[in-house]
Amino acid sequence: MATMKLASSNVSVSFHDIRYEVKQKMDNRVCGKEEMRDILSNISGLLPAGLNAIMGPTGSGKTSLLDLLAQRKDPSGLRDGVVLFDGKPPPQNVRLMTGYVVQKIRQEFMNNSDGDISWLKSKLSSNTEYATGFLTQMKEVGRRTVLNRIRDPMGSYVQLINAALFAVIIGAIYYQSDDSFTSGLQNRAGCFFFLILSQVMSNLSALEAFIQNREYFRHESASGYYRTSVYFISQVFADLIPNRVIPNLLSCFIIYFMIGLQQTVTKFLIFFLGLVLTTISAVSVGFAVSASCRVFLVANALVSIPYILMMLFGGFLVNLGSILNWLAWLKYISIFRYGINVLTVNEMTGMIFIDNSSYPGYDPRSPTPCISNITHTPIPKCVTGEEYMEAQGIEYGTWGLWQNVLALGLMSFFFLFLSYVQLRRIKKFK
């Protein structure tokens, strides 16, 4: 049984000779032929003001009829018939003036959110798009999203535990790295690569952000409960803060001091900023794929392609100067490259890596510390951080650092915007 309660303003709904059809595959093949099939045929009726019931067996079209009356169905499928409100054609925004909660969504929504949907029940006038303003919608949808996170915190706990364990493991492997030419330079370069790799690959859980509640979003958005932007912002912030920013802050404190990187406040803050921006950029890619796919397995397969390409063109596994010209442009869209560059420029600037600091003529205060002041020849197994970055093709200095930070910020914005666009493109009709 399906029910619909009409508003108390004595509005009646009538429907006459309704025929609605949908496409249906003729066989189970992926590229099989499709045919049009009637799911409603020559249906007429009257729903007076008040509580009405539509009764029938499962699959008889009860919910489809309600979807059609409330304009939740794709109008292109309506082949014949007309729906009238008080004997007149419905207004353009009738879907924002009518609403009902289907049984499955109602049961799960009541379980997850205490059924707090009173704010959605305001009746709309024909000249109003939404019953409530942006800030009210943001407050209520954000509160519901936070409550759901609090009631199911396991995902956030796992992210926090994983971040702490990984930080301890990395810190133990590279514990108190020295500044020798033999190990200090290699350890830092390897550490930065694995840190960026973990920031990217550990955020695949972001793929669930817009897949898990896709049907709720379709139903509520089509009913005019809230703007797409409100849902997008609440989902993004509810994911980024507990699952990305806080775990990163914890892991930064562990890793930075266990490895023994340069002990200054500015260096630490830039280190944290680089890891957080790398995480947000990677998560934004996941959000864009999540908003574009309905199945998690498909999203998981698709997101691996840009991640692998970004890793290959990150500058650690291959020297970017040796790449063919027609492939070289890919380095400009590599999250790995920008993330590694931020950490490298931040740490390597001003450092000297030398095996024998007592070598005759070695002066760390000299403008050319790896050139002996006595023999005026290069000191064996000695290199400055700047010389290493030049050999790797990494631009250093103030702009060399912040151009990578800016690039990560722009990539985050682009993929977040793409995620929002894809959410808006989701077909609201059933």
Side-chain angles (χ1 to χ4, degrees), residues 65-186:
L65 178 59
L66 286 179
D67 289 337
L68 182 64
L69 297 180
Q71 288 195 358
R72 305 294 192 273
K73 283 289 187 186
D74 189 343
S76 63
L78 181 62
R79 297 307 181 188
D80 293 304
V82 63
V83 178
L84 302 175
F85 281 56
D86 280 341
K88 300 177 182 179
Q92 291 293 328
N93 62 341
V94 67
R95 71 180 182 85
L96 303 180
M97 301 170 60
T98 59
Y100 66 95
V101 182
V102 297
Q103 183 176 5
K104 178 181 177 182
I105 291 181
R106 179 180 185 275
Q107 290 173 345
E108 297 186 13
F109 190 87
M110 295 285 283
N111 291 335
N112 292 333
S113 304
D114 289 339
D116 186 12
I117 57 173
S118 59
W119 67 281
L120 301 175
K121 294 181 178 178
S122 301
K123 186 179 183 298
L124 300 170
S125 68
S126 59
N127 296 321
T128 305
E129 185 177 10
Y130 292 99
T132 54
F134 176 86
L135 293 180
T136 301
Q137 294 176 16
M138 193 70 249
K139 174 185 174 182
E140 296 296 338
V141 177
R143 184 175 69 87
R144 186 183 74 175
T145 305
V146 170
L147 284 176
N148 287 336
R149 292 285 182 182
I150 293 174
R151 291 165 180 167
D152 186 19
M154 188 55 64
S156 298
Y157 289 161
V158 170
Q159 287 288 119
L160 200 61
I161 293 171
N162 283 346
L165 287 177
F166 184 81
V168 171
I169 293 172
I170 291 295
I173 293 173
Y174 298 103
Y175 184 73
Q176 294 300 308
S177 294
D178 56 28
D179 56 2
S180 67
F181 178 86
T182 303
S183 62
L185 186 62
Q186 181 181 5

Side-chain angles (χ1 to χ4, degrees), residues 337-395:
R337 173 173 174 259
Y338 296 123
I340 291 174
N341 286 357
V342 170
L343 301 187
T344 301
V345 175
N346 182 55
E347 175 65 14
M348 298 296 193
T349 300
M351 291 199 70
I352 305 170
F353 299 93
I354 183 172
D355 279 352
N356 184 11
S357 59
S358 61
Y359 190 90
Y362 170 68
D363 183 5
R365 296 167 297 181
S366 170
T368 55
C370 289
I371 301 294
S372 173
N373 290 339
I374 299 175
T375 63
H376 302 291
T377 58
I379 298 174
K381 295 185 178 181
C382 177
V383 67
T384 64
E386 290 78 5
E387 290 171 344
Y388 167 78
M389 288 186 283
E390 286 180 4
Q392 296 298 316
I394 300 174
E395 184 178 350

Side-chain angles (χ1 to χ4, degrees), residues 183-315:
S183 62
L185 186 62
Q186 181 181 5
N187 285 350
R188 283 171 172 79
C191 175
F192 295 157
F193 173 76
F194 281 109
L195 281 176
I196 298 302
L197 178 66
S198 70
Q199 297 304 307
V200 175
M201 297 303 182
S202 64
N203 291 299
L204 292 176
S205 59
L207 293 175
E208 295 182 345
F210 300 116
I211 295 178
Q212 189 175 24
N213 297 318
R214 193 182 188 90
E215 291 305 316
Y216 295 112
F217 167 70
R218 286 184 58 196
H219 177 79
E220 294 171 354
S221 179
S223 300
Y225 293 167
Y226 47 71
R227 295 167 173 83
T228 301
S229 58
V230 168
Y231 177 78
F232 173 76
I233 293 172
S234 65
Q235 290 293 317
V236 167
F237 277 93
D239 183 273
L240 288 182
I241 295 176
N243 294 341
R244 320 298 167 188
V245 177
I246 294 178
N248 261 293
L249 183 60
L250 174 63
S251 64
C252 279
F253 273 107
I254 297 173
I255 290 174
Y256 198 87
F257 297 105
M258 284 189 70
I259 297 176
L261 303 179
Q262 294 196 54
Q263 305 293 301
T264 66
V265 175
T266 302
K267 296 279 187 182
F268 174 80
L269 292 178
I270 294 175
F271 179 82
F272 173 66
L273 177 63
L275 290 185
V276 169
L277 284 178
T278 300
T279 298
I280 294 176
S281 299
V283 169
S284 301
V285 176
F287 284 160
V289 175
S290 177
S292 306
C293 299
R294 292 179 294 178
V295 181
F296 179 80
L297 292 177
V298 175
N300 192 36
L302 289 178
V303 80
S304 63
I305 298 174
Y307 281 173
I308 291 174
L309 287 176
M310 290 178 183
M311 181 174 64
L312 290 175
F313 290 87

